[in-house]
Amino acid sequence: MVMRLLLIEDTPDLAEAVLRYLRGAGHAVDHAATVDAAEAAWAVADYACVVLDLGLPDGSGLALLRARRGTGDRTPVIIATARDQISDRIAGLDAGADDYVVKPFDLDELAARIRARARRGQGEASPLVDLGDVQVDRARARVFRGGDEVRLTSREWSVLDALLGARGRVVSKAGLEEALYAFDSEIEGNAVEVYISRLRQKLGAPVIETRRGLGYLVP
């Protein structure tokens, strides 16, 4: 399950380690080190999950979370902080957090928590998807066709996973571009079309439909 994520963390070394790990797993991850930067990013992108530090240089992570929840935003949020008191955990959960990890944390565990919260946020009871002779395990980012595993690149997977997350609904080209790249990545004009074509070659043309002028969908 490859996702668009937002990391809100002001400690450079930790942020770099988390970004390297998550991007290495194929995720598109935006990074904000301040409340202002986080608000700007969160307002314009659709994230599968947000990892939020509480102590930021220009304000409170809890206040930011309360403000987002006040707008009706239900994006899954995992608080990642050095504050380990029970009262801190309760305050975070009461503010609207979905999960809470204490620094220093294991990166594998953080990634597993992100996957679990993102699936629940999408209302996904099972990560297994059946598309005729194509089966997809979104939790493990594995695809099979006719029983044989199909190898996808991280960006091919990002496009497929974004379409599966909105299965039955049209996803625009801009929406797929957001799934492909973080803010600091260069977007090629025909990238979406290229990856759609590659996926059809690997999985079969009927797996992805084109709605001219609107976008693409997995029926």
Side-chain angles (χ1 to χ4, degrees):
M1 186 176 183
V2 180
M3 297 165 282
R4 181 78 180 271
L5 307 171
L6 175 61
L7 172 66
I8 306 172
E9 170 60 58
D10 68 320
T11 304
D13 291 347
L14 177 58
E16 181 181 354
V18 174
L19 288 169
R20 186 186 309 116
Y21 182 90
L22 294 176
R23 287 172 176 169
H27 301 299
V29 190
D30 297 325
H31 173 227
T34 65
V35 170
D36 283 347
E39 287 176 335
W42 207 337
V44 299
D46 184 16
Y47 293 108
C49 189
V50 174
V51 179
L52 172 65
D53 185 18
L54 295 183
L56 298 169
D58 60 340
S60 163
L62 278 183
L64 171 63
L65 177 56
R66 290 192 189 99
R68 292 303 305 179
R69 293 300 190 233
T71 68
D73 188 304
R74 305 313 303 166
T75 302
V77 173
I78 299 173
I79 289 177
T81 179
R83 302 177 188 176
D84 60 356
Q85 299 298 311
I86 294 297
S87 59
D88 293 320
R89 293 172 184 257
I90 292 172
L93 295 172
D94 282 347
D98 299 275
D99 206 346
Y100 196 106
V101 295
V102 177
K103 301 175 184 177
F105 48 77
D106 181 83
L107 290 174
D108 287 335
E109 180 185 359
L110 176 65
R113 288 174 181 263
I114 289 172
R115 290 193 298 270
R117 292 300 168 184
R119 286 198 299 271
R120 291 174 191 173
Q122 294 174 348
E124 203 180 325
S126 169
L128 302 177
V129 180
D130 192 341
L131 304 172
D133 71 337
V134 175
Q135 290 76 44
V136 184
D137 184 339
R138 295 182 69 192
R140 296 188 298 162
R142 299 181 69 184
V143 181
F144 300 86
R145 183 181 185 187
D148 297 322
E149 185 163 8
V150 179
R151 298 291 182 180
L152 301 183
T153 67
S154 61
R155 288 183 174 176
E156 288 168 356
W157 173 260
S158 293
V159 171
L160 178 61
D161 193 60
L163 290 168
L164 291 174
R167 188 175 180 184
R169 305 192 308 273
V170 175
V171 181
S172 68
K173 178 180 177 180
L176 292 177
E177 287 175 342
E178 283 202 356
L180 275 170
Y181 302 103
F183 285 146
D184 56 356
S185 299
E186 183 178 351
I187 300 176
E188 300 168 4
N190 66 337
V192 168
E193 291 85 352
V194 168
Y195 293 121
I196 291 290
S197 175
R198 291 178 183 175
L199 285 169
R200 284 172 169 158
Q201 291 173 7
K202 292 182 177 183
L203 305 180
V207 169
I208 300 174
E209 295 183 2
T210 299
R211 295 295 168 86
R212 191 170 301 278
L214 297 175
Y216 304 90
L217 82 158
V218 171

